Amino acid sequence: MARQRGLRAQVGGVAVSLRRHLARATAWWAFRSPRAASAHLLAFAAAERNSELELLAAARLTPSDDRRASYVRHALDEGRHANAFFKRAHPDGNALFPDVDVDDLYQRLGERDFLALVFVGEARGAAQFRGYIDALGAAEPGRLFSGIIVDEDRHERDTWHHLVQVCHGDEARARQRVRTMILWMAWRRWHRAGRTMSSMLYAACMTLLFVACAPLAWWMKRTRPEPRGWAQP
Amino acid sequence: MSVVLGVSALYHDAAVALVIDGELRGALQQERVSRLKGDPRLPIAAAHAVLAAAHMTAADLDAVVFYENPFARLEHVLVSTLRGFPQTLRQFPRAMAAQLSQKLWVKDELAAGLGIDRTRIHHDEHHRSHAASAYFASGAQTAAVLCVDGVGEDTCTSVWRGDGTSLRLLSRQLFPHSVGLFYAAITAWLGFRVLEGEQQVMGLAALGSPTKLAAMERLARINVDGSIELDLSCFAHHYDHTLGFSAGFVKVFGPPRRPGKAWVLDDQGVPVDAADRHYADVAASAQHHTEAMLLALAQHARSLCPDVDTLCLAGGVALNACANGILSQRSGFARVFVQPAAGDAGGALGAAWNFGRSRGDVPRPLAHAAWGPALTAAMMVPLATACGLVSQPVVPAEVVARLWRGQVLALVDGRSEFGPRALGHRSLLAAPGPRRVQDHINTAIKRREPFRPFAPAVLRDDAAAYFDHVTDDLGRFMTGVSTTKTAWRETLGAVTHHDGTARVQCVDEHAPHLHALLQAAQAAGHPPVLLNTSLNGRREPICQGAVDVVRFLLAHPDVNGVVVDDVLLTRPS
Ligand SMILES: [Fe+2]
Ligand SMILES: [Fe+2]
Ligand SMILES: [Fe+2]
C-alpha cells in the first residue's frame, strides 16, 4: 500500500490528489437529491461498462496469455461495478441501462499506452471515489464506493505490473508513458469540448439554412408529394 | 469468378459476407467482435476476422460491395425533410450531419479501412441486397420475393421475382408508409428499444388479446391492392425518427409505458397490473395486424407471380417469426423461406451475391448458418484454466444427464452463426420442461422479461411428432413459429409459449454437437428436444471467441458449464 501511494505521488500524483479534493468538495452537489444521485451513478455505470468493453477488446487482442486472463478478470470486476452502480441508481429496477460507446483504445494506442491509460483511469477513479467517501461517510452510496475501491486499488497495482512488463521492466519508461497519457487525456477532453461547440454551431447554421429553404420545401411538396400505394419500377 | 466482400453498415447491425465464386465462405456481424449489441459502425474488424478465417487478406478481394446506394439515401433524406417542413426542423441538422460526415463517404472509408484501392469499392441498393439474400439462399428456381423493413434508401416494401440467376423488381412501396416503422412505433410506445425490442413485443403479444384491432386497422390501413397506408398523424418517423410515435398515437392508446419498468406476471402468465394488461392487448393487436398486413403483401406478390409456388422473405420485418409462421400456413404459397440473417446484416450477403452474378457467378443456396470464425476446445482451454475454470472430458450422454438434472450448459461448436439466432454453435441449453426452467433462465441468466419464450431444438426427422406446422424452410434457421402438440405442452413447458406456440429449430448434422446431444436425449428415453437460447447475457451480442465465452461463464453463476467439442468447462466446486 505504501508502495502504491509512492507510485501515485510519482506518477501524476498532483492530478490524482486534486481529483480527490474536488470530489470531496462537490459531493454535496452530485448527490444533492435522489434524482441527481441517480443520474450521477448512471454515469458511473456507463463508464464502468465502457471500461469493461475496452478490457475485453484488449483480452482478445493481446499476444500474452497471462495478460489475457488478467484483462478478463479485470473486465469481470468492471462489469460487476457497472451493475452495482446501475442497481443503486434504480433500486426498483425500473430503468434501461444507459447506452454505452467504445473508443477502441487498445487498437488505437497499442498495448503499452492502453495500459498506461487504464492505470491513470484507475488511479483517478479510486481518488474520486475516496473523495466521495470522505464527504458521504458510511451512508449509501458511500458504502458502495468503499466496496468498489478495493477492486480499483487492485486493478491499479495489476495494471502497473503489466505496464512495467510491456516496458521490459523499465519503470522510468512506464512513468513516462503514464505522463504522456495524462496529456493525451487532456488533449482528448479539449478535442471533445471543441467538437461539442462546433456541433452546436453547425446545428444552428443548418437550422438557419433549413429555414431559408422554405420556398424549396413548398416547391418540393407540390412536385414530389408523399407517395401512396404501389410504385411500379 | 470473383472474390467479393459484401458490407452492410451505418444503420443497424453492421456485417460482412465473403462470397467466392457465388459460394458464401464466411459472414460475421460487427457486434460479435466489438461486443456492442447491434453495432452499426463500419465492420472493418469483422471483415478482417472473416478474411483471416478464410486465410485471405483484403488484397485478395476483387470487390467490396456496400449494400445500399449512399447517393440515393442522401436524396431521400433531403426530399423527405424538405417535404416535412417545418416539422422536420429538428431532424434536418442531425440527418444532414449523419449523411455528410460519414454515410456519403462510406466507400472512401471502406477503402481506407481495408487498405485497398477505391476503384474496387462498389455499392448496391438496399432492397435489391435484401431480395438477393433471401432468394439465392433459398435454392428455389423461381420465387416471389417480399422485402419488408423500416426504410432502405426510399423504399419500405418491395416485391421481386427471382428466375434462375435473375432478380427483377416488380413493385415497391415508398417511405413513409412502412410496416417496419409501424412496428417500431409500437415497440417504442411499449418502452422497448427500437431495433432490439421488436422480439419483446412479439413475446408480449402472446399474453394479451387483440382487443384494439379496429384502432390498429385505422392506424395502418390495408388497401384492396395490398398496399399499406399509415395514418401519419399517429407517427413521427416522417419528421423526427428519434420519437417513434406522435401525440396522435398517445391520444388513441394512452400514455407510453415507462422504459425498463419491471413486468410482473401471475401464475397463468397474465400481467398483474391492469395497465400492463392494456399494453399486452395493444401488443397482441399490433402483432395480429402486422400478420394481416404481411398476408396482404404476400397476396399482392402472388398476384404479380401467379405461377410461382415459393415466397422468400427478407428485411427486418421478416425476423417476426410469428408472422412467418402465419404466412407459411395461409399465404397460399407452397414454400415460405426466410434465411437466418433476414435483417440488415443479411444485406451484406445479398450485395456480394449480386456483384458476383454480374461477373457470371452462380449463387449457391445456404445449407446452414454457421459462417463465423471457429472456436475449438484447444483455443478455449488455456484461457479457461488461467481464469480458474476446470476442464474435463465429457460425452453427450453425460451432458444430457446433467441437463435433465436441471443444469444449464453453454454449447460451443465450431463456427458461429450468422444472424440473430443461436442454432447450436453458440447456444445455451437446458431441458425442455417444466416451465420453471424458462423462468429461471429468463430471470437469473438472461435477466429479461418473464414473458420471453425459449425455442425448442428438435431432431429434424422427429419434429412432426412433437410440433404441428413445422416446415423445413422455417425450421432450419428457426425463422418461423409452429405449435406444440397438445399432448406435449406439459413436458415441453419451457419451450412452449403461453399461447401454445414454439419457435422450432429442426436440427440436422450441420450442427453436429447439438445433433449428437438430441440423439443422446432420445437414447436416454427423453423426447429429442432441448431448450436452446443464444449464448449471451442481457443486452450482449452472442459470444464469439474464447474471451467472450469464458467471461460469460464467470459472469453467470447460474450457468453450470460450457461444452466445447468433447470438453466440459466448469467453475471449481
Ligand atoms: Fe471499476
Ligand atoms: Fe477498475
Ligand atoms: Fe433493411
Side-chain angles (χ1 to χ4, degrees), chain A residues 52 56 60 73 76 93-95 97 100 102 104 202 206 210 217 221 224 226-233, chain B residues 33 75 81-83 85 88 92-93 97 169-170 172 177 193 225 227 229 232 258 260-262 300 386 548 551:
Chain A
E52 179 191 11
L56 288 174
R60 276 190 296 280
R73 282 192 294 266
L76 281 164
N94 289 338
F97 198 93
V100 179
V102 285
D104 300 327
Y202 160 86
M206 282 310 239
F210 194 55
K221 280 182 207 206
R224 292 180 72 171
E226 228 142 53
R228 286 203 175 93
W230 293 110
Q232 304 311 320
Chain B
V33 270
E75 185 195 351
T81 47
L82 281 170
R83 202 189 272 147
F85 185 90
T88 41
F92 183 74
L169 176 65
L170 300 179
R172 62 189 183 132
H177 298 286
R193 280 188 169 92
D225 63 357
S227 64
E229 196 168 326
L232 292 173
R258 186 175 150 192
K261 185 170 173 269
H300 173 67
D548 311 323
R551 189 212 70 97

Side-chain angles (χ1 to χ4, degrees), chain A residues 171-182:
Chain A
E171 290 210 8
R173 179 120 183 90
R175 275 194 292 277
Q176 187 250 326
R177 290 328 299 167
V178 167
R179 280 191 290 271
T180 307
M181 282 300 110
I182 290 172

Side-chain angles (χ1 to χ4, degrees), chain B residues 160-473:
Chain B
W160 303 72
R161 184 189 170 104
D163 274 303
T165 57
S166 87
L167 196 55
R168 192 159 52 90
L169 176 65
L170 300 179
S171 77
R172 62 189 183 132
Q173 197 166 5
L174 303 176
F175 186 84
H177 298 286
S178 159
V179 179
L181 294 171
F182 160 83
Y183 211 81
I186 304 286
T187 306
W189 181 79
L190 287 169
F192 302 124
R193 280 188 169 92
V194 172
L195 293 171
E196 268 182 53
E198 282 76 1
Q199 301 297 313
Q200 278 137 290
V201 177
M202 212 167 62
L204 179 63
L207 270 51
S209 322
T211 54
K212 316 281 181 234
L213 217 45
M216 286 296 165
E217 281 159 5
R218 282 195 298 276
L219 220 63
R221 204 174 67 216
I222 304 172
N223 294 324
V224 263
D225 63 357
S227 64
I228 307 300
E229 196 168 326
L230 301 183
D231 173 359
L232 292 173
S233 71
C234 293
F235 296 88
H237 59 261
H238 51 301
Y239 61 86
D240 190 338
H241 70 84
T242 58
L243 293 179
F245 56 91
S246 71
F249 191 102
V250 175
K251 224 181 257 171
V252 178
F253 294 109
R257 193 172 189 277
R258 186 175 150 192
K261 185 170 173 269
W263 293 86
V264 184
L265 309 182
D266 67 14
D267 293 344
Q268 306 304 309
V270 178
V272 171
D273 188 9
D276 282 350
R277 287 198 291 277
H278 167 67
Y279 290 120
D281 287 346
V282 173
S285 309
Q287 176 62 30
H288 210 282
H289 191 53
T290 301
E291 288 160 8
M293 286 192 278
L294 284 169
L295 276 170
L297 293 174
Q299 241 104 68
H300 173 67
R302 187 136 191 79
S303 71
L304 295 174
C305 315
D307 57 324
V308 162
D309 66 357
T310 301
L311 175 68
C312 301
L313 290 156
V317 179
L319 292 171
N320 192 313
C322 296
N324 296 344
I326 298 285
L327 284 175
S328 168
Q329 291 166 43
R330 297 204 227 138
S331 65
F333 286 93
R335 274 186 78 187
V336 171
F337 173 83
V338 184
Q339 54 100 342
D344 272 11
L349 173 57
W353 266 335
N354 280 337
F355 186 88
R357 278 193 304 138
S358 72
R359 300 289 160 98
D361 295 340
V362 179
R364 316 267 176 85
L366 281 193
H368 59 85
W371 299 105
L375 180 57
T376 61
M379 293 158 80
M380 268 189 69
V381 171
L383 176 66
T385 316
C387 288
L389 297 175
V390 179
S391 71
Q392 62 187 88
V394 74
V395 293
E398 159 72 3
V399 175
V400 165
R402 281 172 177 265
L403 292 172
W404 258 268
R405 281 205 302 272
Q407 292 198 356
V408 178
L409 296 170
L411 174 67
V412 171
D413 181 5
R415 302 185 71 172
S416 61
E417 298 88 346
F418 184 43
R421 306 275 163 262
L423 301 169
H425 300 271
R426 299 289 186 277
S427 286
L428 204 54
L429 303 177
R435 186 178 286 280
R436 68 187 142 74
V437 177
Q438 176 191 351
D439 297 337
H440 171 64
I441 299 177
N442 264 336
T443 52
I445 298 166
K446 296 267 190 167
R447 293 177 199 128
R448 59 185 202 176
E449 299 76 16
F451 51 77
R452 300 289 299 279
F454 288 110
V458 57
L459 281 181
R460 191 179 65 185
D461 296 340
D462 295 283
Y466 302 92
F467 305 98
D468 289 321
H469 314 297
V470 185
T471 68
D472 190 45
D473 284 311

Side-chain angles (χ1 to χ4, degrees), chain A residues 51-65:
Chain A
S51 150
E52 179 191 11
L53 293 172
E54 299 285 359
L55 284 158
L56 288 174
R60 276 190 296 280
L61 297 168
T62 181
S64 150
D65 286 344

Side-chain angles (χ1 to χ4, degrees), chain A residues 48 51 77-78 81 85 122 129 148 152 155:
Chain A
E48 297 276 2
S51 150
D77 286 342
E78 304 300 17
H81 299 168
F85 279 127
E122 294 292 338
F129 293 170
I148 286 176
E152 305 299 17
H155 298 159

Side-chain angles (χ1 to χ4, degrees), chain A residues 147-167:
Chain A
I148 286 176
I149 222 162
V150 180
D151 292 336
E152 305 299 17
D153 283 340
R154 191 181 56 251
H155 298 159
E156 199 183 322
R157 281 195 302 278
D158 292 351
T159 309
W160 179 256
H161 166 78
H162 290 314
L163 176 59
V164 172
Q165 193 181 50
V166 296
C167 290

